[in-house]
Amino acid sequence: MVQIAPYGSWKSPISTEMIITDAVGLADIALDGADIYWLEGRPKEGGRVVLVRPDASGAGIDLTPAPFNIRTRVHEYGGGALLINNGVIYFSNFADQRLYRQVEGGAPEALTPAIALRYADAVYDQHRNRLITVREDHTAGGHEPVNTIVSLSLSGENGGEVLVSGKDFYACPRLSPDSTKLAWLEWSHPNMPWDGCELRLASVLPDGTLGEAELVAGGLRESIYQPTWSPDGLLYFVSDRTGWWNLYRITDGQVESLYPMEAEFGQPMWVFGTQTYGFTLDGNIVCAFTQNGFWNLGILDLQSKVLSRINQPYNYIGNLKVSGNRVVMIAGGSNKTMAVVEYDLSSGEMRVHKLASTLEVDSGYISTPQAIEFPTNGGLDAYALYYPPANKDYLAPEGDLPPLVVRSHGGPTSASPALLSLSFAYWTSRGFGILDVNYGGSTGYGREYRERLNGNWGIVDVDDCVNGALHLAKQGLADENRLAIQGGSAGGYTTLCALTFRDTFKAGASYFGVSDLEALARDTHKFESRYLDNLVGAYPERLDLYRARSPIYHTEGLRCPIILFQGLEDKVVPPNQAEMMFEAVKQKGIPVAYIPFEGEQHGFRRADNIKRALEAEFYFYSKVFGFEAADQIEPFEIANL
């Protein structure tokens, strides 16, 4: 029987235990002959990442012996930690950042020395029995690490011989099918790869060194993504030279556009190893592309230049790999759990190899996201996904409006896809609405939309989160007196700015968020150390802007409760940022809580910490918004409450 109860107090079968019980993170698909592999990040094992292959019955076999953990810290965000060639596994181990070689069933063998070197994005050179890989050298101690592309002999333990150097960053070293040419991406401060990077090409000389490098595409204002060699030896890549990440190739020394379209066939390279296209047995391209926040799958006929969409049930497609007539990808949807999915181009059949979670939840407790477009500052529009409250067992009293959590995603050059999320369902099944905002600066809407944030971080993103919340409140879909905002990392900065510089939100939660832009510019790791030049202004020349937009210097404007979550080993946003904010807000007499987590870095990977953070945020809102939570949640101290 349906019960009447206020929003926020609904009892839900979706518990934090359900969310973390068997859930895994899925990443880095690898294809090797007929074999499919993928990586699983396991919260129950402290976030350890394990290589898995299905056996003949379809059950997953763990190939990584404990305590090995496949994860690299190049650029801190990692990715590209795995390579498999003819059954031999090469991987980066998180604890020591050494590269290892492993034959299935055998013990991993170290290839690199136990010194401060990190590796990512390797390819195998079959003609010379070596790896070519990005190396990040931290042996100089307190100096900025040095990034290069190196060759790594497989005949004995070694740190690698430098092939390419001189730029601040490198990615995607890719050998031609005959191993005579190497292509790669490079860029330097203050650019991030999505601002602009260069695609270079060089001949591989008989001694394994490289000839003179040629600039093929890219520049300070052109972003290149995923250079890939076709089986017949042509170099393909994605470029945003038209304002959209589209497909190109080099034909007779000239850049050829393959299919101009107002869609994104690429994505920001926060991590190594991501892919959105690959080549079929007949030489065409299977590609993933996004429009208006929704991903699609298609086949591009390279003769007719016709793109045919593949009918499939997923809204998000990532890490796409193609071999023969098989397409393997990580996919998910608004009503589909993230999964490793194989699509057979010949038969049109789809097979799910691994679900991120095997829990089956009654659809009556799941909120279906609605894509919305709403007006924002400057006569512009912004985008978001709205998840309304959903619980088949409850209705709210007449006249009651739901509390709303506005989510500001990280990056900030990232995007929120429409995915089935039990973490979101935890909130919506208890009577909250969620607005997941793809504010100006997000990817998936073209370069012009992405560049709205340039020089305006802490302004445009905040405007869009505020206007999205007010848009729902005006429509009677949210209680304007119970609007909250939350976000992690860059989203945590947007959260802190919204709470400090605006009065729309009545509470907020910052997960490892930036409170001091100057401290971030000084203390963060190399990859992001000049990121703020474009988002805010040159540092220290525009110190005035850094101070003006740093919440820590303007706590007099903060008038509502806030909870802060922080990993104590975070190198991207150091813990002192949250600690300074906590002390400042506490001194103002405003309700505030600070929950640090030992052993966590930038993002929480341990099951008990994921559970604790989710429950603590809900408990915090129940106290400051004055409703009775249906669940028994472990209390904690909220200062000034």
Side-chain angles (χ1 to χ4, degrees):
M1 182 177 294
V2 175
Q3 303 177 58
I4 306 296
Y7 288 114
S9 65
W10 298 351
K11 189 170 183 60
S12 168
I14 301 175
S15 65
T16 51
E17 286 78 10
M18 288 176 61
I19 294 170
I20 64 174
T21 293
D22 69 341
V24 296
L26 300 172
D28 285 24
I29 290 170
L31 302 182
D32 185 43
D35 290 323
I36 297 172
Y37 303 81
W38 62 86
L39 293 180
E40 292 185 10
R42 297 175 175 170
K44 284 290 189 181
E45 297 182 36
R48 190 169 79 97
V49 180
V50 176
L51 181 64
V52 177
R53 174 180 62 78
D55 63 12
S57 69
I61 303 172
D62 287 3
L63 303 180
T64 309
F68 287 96
N69 180 2
I70 301 180
R71 188 173 154 215
T72 179
R73 288 187 61 184
V74 178
H75 294 178
E76 293 300 336
Y77 294 103
L82 172 71
L83 171 68
I84 304 176
N85 183 73
N86 289 329
V88 181
I89 302 161
Y90 304 90
F91 69 90
S92 176
N93 181 48
F94 180 69
D96 55 16
Q97 288 299 291
R98 301 171 76 182
L99 274 180
Y100 287 79
R101 173 173 50 199
Q102 180 191 8
V103 177
E104 184 174 333
E109 168 195 3
L111 293 174
T112 58
I115 57 177
L117 299 173
R118 304 174 181 179
Y119 302 87
D121 216 5
V123 293
Y124 179 70
D125 183 352
Q126 61 182 350
H127 291 275
R128 301 169 185 86
N129 191 35
R130 65 178 181 172
L131 300 182
I132 297 178
T133 180
V134 175
R135 186 180 75 183
E136 191 171 86
D137 186 343
H138 290 253
T139 58
H143 298 282
E144 185 173 78
V146 177
N147 292 64
T148 54
I149 295 176
V150 302
S151 65
L152 195 69
S153 171
L154 298 178
S155 60
E157 188 177 297
N158 66 101
E161 296 292 328
V162 174
L163 294 177
V164 186
S165 63
K167 294 291 186 176
D168 290 322
F169 302 99
Y170 295 93
C172 304
R174 298 294 181 259
L175 269 174
S176 60
D178 60 4
S179 297
T180 63
K181 294 182 180 180
L182 182 74
W184 68 89
L185 296 179
E186 60 182 40
W187 67 98
S188 288
H189 292 311
N191 265 10
M192 302 298 281
W194 49 86
D195 296 320
C197 57
E198 295 179 346
L199 174 57
R200 295 273 176 175
L201 179 64
S203 295
V204 182
L205 303 179
D207 64 357
T209 61
L210 301 183
E212 185 176 352
E214 171 192 359
L215 176 63
V216 173
L220 293 177
R221 296 277 300 153
E222 180 184 358
S223 174
I224 307 296
Y225 173 82
Q226 196 197 327
T228 303
W229 294 93
S230 65
D232 59 353
L234 293 181
L235 182 59
Y236 288 70
F237 60 94
V238 173
S239 167
D240 72 348
R241 58 179 57 191
T242 65
W244 296 89
W245 269 315
N246 282 185
L247 286 161
Y248 296 83
R249 70 181 172 193
I250 305 297
T251 307
D252 297 326
Q254 301 297 314
V255 175
E256 177 188 1
S257 173
L258 296 180
Y259 194 78
M261 186 179 183
E262 289 192 354
E264 302 277 46
F265 290 77
Q267 57 193 54
M269 281 197 303
W270 279 105
V271 298
F272 293 96
T274 61
Q275 289 189 198
T276 58
Y277 69 94
F279 295 92
T280 65
L281 194 62
D282 56 6
N284 292 320
I285 288 179
V286 175
C287 51
F289 58 95
T290 181
Q291 288 180 303
N292 300 319
F294 291 86
W295 283 86
N296 305 269
L297 190 65
I299 300 178
L300 178 61
D301 186 309
L302 292 175
Q303 295 298 319
S304 66
K305 301 287 184 70
V306 172
L307 178 68
S308 303
R309 296 186 187 230
I310 296 173
N311 185 28
Q312 49 83 33
Y314 297 100
N315 298 332
Y316 171 80
I317 297 168
N319 212 260
L320 182 148
K321 301 292 174 68
V322 184
S323 177
N325 284 318
R326 297 184 306 158
V327 181
V328 186
M329 55 196 173
I330 297 173
S334 56
N335 61 354
K336 298 233 176 244
T337 301
M338 290 286 280
V340 176
V341 178
E342 180 178 357
Y343 177 73
D344 189 311
L345 292 168
S346 301
S347 66
E349 294 181 357
M350 279 197 167
R351 177 183 179 186
V352 174
H353 287 283
K354 175 69 178 184
L355 290 168
S357 173
T358 57
L359 284 173
E360 294 185 7
V361 180
D362 189 316
S363 60
Y365 303 106
I366 300 296
S367 179
T368 301
Q370 304 167 12
I372 67 170
E373 185 175 347
F374 57 88
T376 190
N377 292 33
L380 301 171
D381 289 333
Y383 306 92
L385 296 165
Y386 170 56
Y387 297 76
N391 186 320
K392 68 177 186 178
D393 300 328
Y394 287 92
L395 290 174
E398 187 175 350
D400 192 22
L401 294 174
L404 178 74
V405 174
V406 172
R407 180 180 177 272
S408 53
H409 65 66
T413 309
S414 183
S416 294
L419 289 174
L420 173 63
S421 167
L422 288 184
S423 294
F424 280 11
Y426 176 88
W427 293 90
T428 56
S429 63
R430 285 164 172 77
F432 273 73
I434 289 183
L435 185 68
D436 203 0
V437 182
N438 280 322
Y439 48 77
S442 303
T443 52
Y445 304 91
R447 186 175 184 115
E448 183 178 348
Y449 191 81
R450 191 168 77 240
E451 290 187 340
R452 283 189 192 179
L453 210 57
N454 285 0
N456 291 300
W457 193 29
I459 299 174
V460 164
D461 47 328
V462 175
D463 287 340
D464 292 352
C465 287
V466 166
N467 288 322
L470 294 177
H471 176 73
L472 291 185
K474 288 176 183 176
Q475 292 185 317
L477 298 175
D479 183 348
E480 63 180 358
N481 293 313
R482 292 191 293 173
L483 301 176
I485 183 169
Q486 67 108 272
S489 189
Y493 169 68
T494 301
T495 293
L496 293 172
C497 284
L499 297 174
T500 302
F501 301 120
R502 311 296 171 84
D503 58 6
T504 302
F505 298 102
K506 310 307 178 186
S510 169
Y511 288 75
F512 36 91
V514 178
S515 62
D516 185 347
L517 290 176
E518 183 184 3
L520 180 65
R522 288 196 317 261
D523 299 340
T524 196
H525 57 104
K526 179 184 177 182
F527 182 59
E528 289 187 280
S529 63
R530 298 288 300 280
Y531 188 19
L532 302 191
D533 282 29
N534 285 330
L535 294 179
V536 181
Y539 178 82
E541 293 84 352
R542 292 310 311 270
L543 180 59
D544 59 322
L545 290 178
Y546 283 73
R547 293 286 179 90
R549 296 190 202 164
S550 293
I552 192 63
Y553 295 114
H554 303 280
T555 54
E556 73 280 355
L558 208 158
R559 303 180 186 87
C560 67
I562 183 170
I563 185 169
L564 304 122
F565 300 92
Q566 180 69 44
L568 292 180
E569 294 184 15
D570 193 335
K571 302 299 183 184
V572 179
V573 179
N576 66 319
Q577 298 251 343
E579 292 161 2
M580 289 189 299
M581 198 69 187
F582 172 69
E583 291 299 332
V585 178
K586 184 179 177 182
Q587 292 301 315
K588 284 179 62 73
I590 296 170
V592 61
Y594 173 52
I595 300 183
F597 293 110
E598 293 278 357
E600 291 284 15
Q601 294 181 304
H602 197 63
F604 303 153
R605 291 175 171 83
R606 300 184 179 185
D608 54 341
N609 294 338
I610 295 169
K611 167 183 165 66
R612 180 59 171 153
L614 187 56
E615 290 182 343
E617 186 182 350
F618 190 86
Y619 176 85
F620 184 77
Y621 294 151
S622 74
K623 295 303 180 185
V624 300
F625 286 158
F627 63 85
E628 190 68 32
D631 307 283
Q632 290 294 319
I633 299 175
E634 180 185 348
F636 55 90
E637 181 183 359
I638 302 175
N640 302 321
L641 186 66

